[in-house]
Amino acid sequence: SNALLALQDDGKSAHPTLESPPPALSTHPGKARASRRLARKLHQVCSIEDTNDNLQDNGLVVIYTDGSAEILLSVGGIAGNGVYSESGLSISAFLPTDLRQTINTAQLF
């Protein structure tokens, strides 16, 4: 169609959009937000890994802990925790029954 063609001074026909840079791709706001969130999380992970490396380089042992809890119909709540370090320490245990069986208690025990 004539609407899509433009004549240049040298007499050749060209498509007008090929003469200019392509327009910026529009990104869906949700995807752009998710991309920024992922970039922030990756930056935080790198920062934590750098901190762990610095601590270990200075002779300190980095220890990881986690707690979990589950509600079982037959028993009620049951919680436990785990402790791990790269130096070989690995412990997992249930909370004593006299303690409140929650994730928070398990993480702090």
Side-chain angles (χ1 to χ4, degrees), residues 79-95:
N81 58 20
V83 179
Y84 168 80
S85 78
E86 292 178 9
S87 64
L89 176 68
S90 180
I91 301 170
S92 59
F94 289 109
L95 289 183

Side-chain angles (χ1 to χ4, degrees), residues 43-98:
H43 177 73
Q44 290 171 344
V45 167
C46 289
S47 176
I48 291 169
E49 288 175 346
D50 290 343
T51 301
N52 283 348
D53 290 342
N54 288 337
L55 291 171
Q56 290 173 351
D57 289 345
N58 290 316
L60 298 173
V61 177
V62 178
I63 297 175
Y64 305 91
T65 64
D66 196 13
S68 65
E70 187 173 353
I71 297 175
L72 302 175
L73 295 177
S74 60
V75 181
I78 187 166
N81 58 20
V83 179
Y84 168 80
S85 78
E86 292 178 9
S87 64
L89 176 68
S90 180
I91 301 170
S92 59
F94 289 109
L95 289 183
T97 56
D98 61 333

Side-chain angles (χ1 to χ4, degrees), residues 1-8 12-19:
S1 129
N2 289 337
L4 295 178
L5 296 178
L7 292 177
Q8 295 179 342
K12 296 180 182 175
S13 38
H15 191 279
T17 59
L18 298 178
E19 300 298 319

